[in-house]
Amino acid sequence: MATNESKDFQRKPHFTFIWIIENASSLLNSGWVDSPSFIVQRMEKTKWKLSTYYDISMGELCLQISREEDNGPDSIEIEHEISILDDDGSPIAMLTYLQQFRCATLCSPNLSESGDEVFFQRRDEFLPNDELTVRCRMFRTGTEISKSDTCFARTRLGVDRRSFVWAVRDFSSLRKEEKRTRIINPNTHGSPRLILSLFLSERDLKTYLNIQIDHNSETSCHFIICKISVLDSYGRKVHSKETEGLLDEDFQVCTFRKDKIMNDESFALENDVLYLKCEFELVAELVWNRIESYGYSNLEDPEQEATEMLEFQDETCTAGCPFKKTLEDLYGYESLSDVSLRSGVTSLPAHKNILSARSPVFKAMFTQDMREKTSRIVDIPDLNADTLSRLLLYIYKDTVEELQWESAVDLFRAAEKYQLLNLRKKCSVFLKSNLSVYDVCSILSLANMHEAGDLRKAAEDFISEHDNEVFDSNEWKTFKEKNFRLASEIMERIILLMKRKSS
């Protein structure tokens, strides 16, 4: 169920939490999945988390927020807005609700969306790249702020992928009453053992080869994606069938007509052996569940909060990859660097191979016939020192730290220039989540300059909702004077959209 965004458009959320769930199709049979816990400083250091689960009885994906045990007030009134975002950061499902939260309480109601819509019919919208992106914006009732805080978190659901070639010998003499089985053991924890069966059946005077997964106690309610391919003697796929679903009973993977296999002229059954490539994908345990970046603004005691945040992240993050940790340790390590990036009077040590691996622009700079290829110092005149530092932090640690409006705009431009697409997306999501009457025009200019269609669409959607306030603002008047053609295009689209709505 979706609702409209808050009418109080000039308010900024006190806190925005953006949660990305990788391998999200596995939510169909993962049970409850909780986000990392997060602390909202502007709400008296209260502690929260988001949760999602697939309600099998209702066929719905559900999302909700809960307050955990903390040292905050006994009760606090919060307006929260939970949204599912599409690939360009625009909400496609939303729920806004005002509730009094006591410690260790859940929100009711929750955001519910049809499982058929999310996982199948509109999968490309809800789960681009098999990722579910959830945004929670929180407002403390009765208070206003000039800046808001943002937190990014990421959860990766475990996926068990199994692939093998099954050699079915004496295929031509396989009898209808004969059943051949193959046991496939799991590769990861939390994934079931599979018993694969192969047998013949008759239907409409034709003989079919059937492949199924036999039901057992381990497979109950697991979601699986299957692909079975018939291979020729060179290992090439000549016939393939795919299916997916819940293993709640004997699961029919696929069927092939036996006569088509036997009479296929494109390949021959050498030595009467049928080769089947079997590929399966199932959910397993969580790989990680962690805070990626946590930004505060205007804190009374930033050193104390930074210490608390490091301790908090140690509690919520799973153990990191050793290789990733080694790469992170190279950040700012001057003795092993082979280049310095300079902005103004600030020089930051770096490593050409790491920069090149992360950015195609840096790769061209250091591998092609350019002066930077042999230089120990590379000037970056279009980035200020703060933005350059943030850019390097992301390149080495995959971290975005303390995003605020101006830093997000500058970092977006840097990500665009150096073709860091995930960083660009994070900045874009932050900007779209914090649009207001006073800065929507600057986002239009930014989107137009960098041909960022998602940003422009979000800005135009915002203007269409708040047209009177935007068009009466001084910011719009200045924007129209400097960008008359663009302003005219937007006004025409808004008018056309309003006409369509009224009709």
Side-chain angles (χ1 to χ4, degrees), residues 338 352 365-366 368 370-377:
D338 55 0
K352 291 180 179 179
M365 187 183 296
F366 296 131
Q368 296 180 9
M370 302 172 69
R371 71 164 182 252
E372 288 87 358
K373 181 176 180 179
T374 57
S375 177
R376 292 279 303 179
I377 297 177

Side-chain angles (χ1 to χ4, degrees), residues 407-464:
S407 60
V409 170
D410 291 340
L411 200 54
F412 178 93
R413 293 193 180 104
E416 178 73 20
K417 176 179 177 179
Y418 292 99
Q419 297 181 29
L420 297 165
L421 300 184
N422 284 338
L423 176 59
R424 180 186 185 274
K425 181 179 179 180
K426 287 186 178 184
C427 296
S428 179
V429 169
F430 175 87
L431 294 170
K432 287 182 285 190
S433 299
N434 291 276
L435 284 172
S436 73
V437 169
Y438 309 110
D439 47 41
V440 68
C441 293
S442 65
I443 288 301
L444 279 173
S445 298
L446 182 72
N448 188 58
M449 179 182 299
H450 296 285
E451 298 181 352
D454 57 328
L455 263 185
R456 176 164 173 169
K457 181 179 182 298
E460 289 179 356
D461 289 345
F462 181 89
I463 294 173
S464 69

Side-chain angles (χ1 to χ4, degrees), residues 244-483:
E244 59 185 37
L246 285 174
L247 297 175
D248 52 358
E249 54 187 17
D250 287 348
F251 184 78
Q252 186 76 26
V253 178
C254 64
T255 60
F256 296 98
R257 275 180 52 181
K258 185 180 179 183
D259 62 318
K260 285 194 173 182
I261 294 176
M262 299 293 296
N263 301 325
D264 193 333
E265 296 180 356
S266 65
F267 79 108
L269 290 176
E270 290 193 4
N271 301 318
D272 201 19
V273 178
L274 174 67
Y275 292 99
L276 298 174
K277 182 172 184 180
C278 306
E279 300 169 87
F280 303 99
E281 184 176 303
L282 300 98
V283 69
E285 293 180 352
L286 287 180
V287 178
W288 67 59
N289 192 36
R290 65 192 182 198
I291 300 291
E292 287 194 318
S293 62
Y294 212 131
Y296 297 119
S297 59
N298 297 340
L299 295 176
E300 295 179 0
D301 189 354
E303 290 187 2
Q304 177 184 349
E305 302 298 350
T307 301
E308 290 180 4
M309 192 56 236
L310 286 172
E311 294 172 352
F312 177 66
Q313 286 186 324
D314 287 342
E315 294 174 0
T316 59
C317 295
T318 58
C321 167
F323 179 78
K324 183 174 183 291
K325 178 67 167 56
T326 302
L327 183 63
E328 290 176 352
D329 289 344
L330 289 175
Y331 173 67
Y333 197 67
E334 189 169 359
S335 62
L336 294 178
S337 70
D338 55 0
V339 68
S340 290
L341 303 185
R342 185 168 60 191
S343 173
V345 297
T346 301
S347 293
L348 300 173
H351 307 79
K352 291 180 179 179
N353 55 349
I354 294 175
L355 298 179
S356 299
R358 294 282 274 158
S359 163
V361 176
F362 278 124
K363 182 178 181 180
M365 187 183 296
F366 296 131
T367 58
Q368 296 180 9
D369 192 17
M370 302 172 69
R371 71 164 182 252
E372 288 87 358
K373 181 176 180 179
T374 57
S375 177
R376 292 279 303 179
I377 297 177
V378 176
D379 285 307
I380 312 292
D382 52 346
L383 300 186
N384 59 44
D386 178 67
T387 304
L388 180 58
S389 176
R390 292 173 185 272
L391 185 73
L392 287 177
L393 181 66
Y394 177 80
I395 286 175
Y396 280 82
K397 297 191 174 186
D398 205 35
T399 297
V400 182
E401 200 171 60
E402 297 184 11
L403 270 183
Q404 300 303 327
W405 184 263
E406 291 184 3
S407 60
V409 170
D410 291 340
L411 200 54
F412 178 93
R413 293 193 180 104
E416 178 73 20
K417 176 179 177 179
Y418 292 99
Q419 297 181 29
L420 297 165
L421 300 184
N422 284 338
L423 176 59
R424 180 186 185 274
K425 181 179 179 180
K426 287 186 178 184
C427 296
S428 179
V429 169
F430 175 87
L431 294 170
K432 287 182 285 190
S433 299
N434 291 276
L435 284 172
S436 73
V437 169
Y438 309 110
D439 47 41
V440 68
C441 293
S442 65
I443 288 301
L444 279 173
S445 298
L446 182 72
N448 188 58
M449 179 182 299
H450 296 285
E451 298 181 352
D454 57 328
L455 263 185
R456 176 164 173 169
K457 181 179 182 298
E460 289 179 356
D461 289 345
F462 181 89
I463 294 173
S464 69
E465 291 290 329
H466 315 299
D467 53 314
N468 291 333
E469 292 77 14
V470 173
F471 293 151
D472 288 341
S473 68
N474 292 328
E475 287 77 9
W476 176 260
K477 294 173 183 175
T478 302
F479 173 78
K480 189 167 63 172
E481 290 175 1
K482 295 181 178 180
N483 305 274

Side-chain angles (χ1 to χ4, degrees), residues 47-66:
K47 189 176 180 181
W48 308 80
K49 71 177 179 182
L50 295 183
S51 302
T52 183
Y53 64 97
Y54 180 65
D55 187 333
I56 297 177
S57 62
M58 300 297 293
E60 293 179 336
L61 179 70
C62 302
L63 284 156
Q64 64 183 32
I65 187 173
S66 60

Side-chain angles (χ1 to χ4, degrees), residues 8-20:
D8 193 357
F9 57 87
Q10 295 192 39
R11 283 190 310 163
K12 288 183 179 290
H14 293 67
F15 192 84
T16 300
F17 183 72
I18 296 173
W19 182 27
I20 299 173

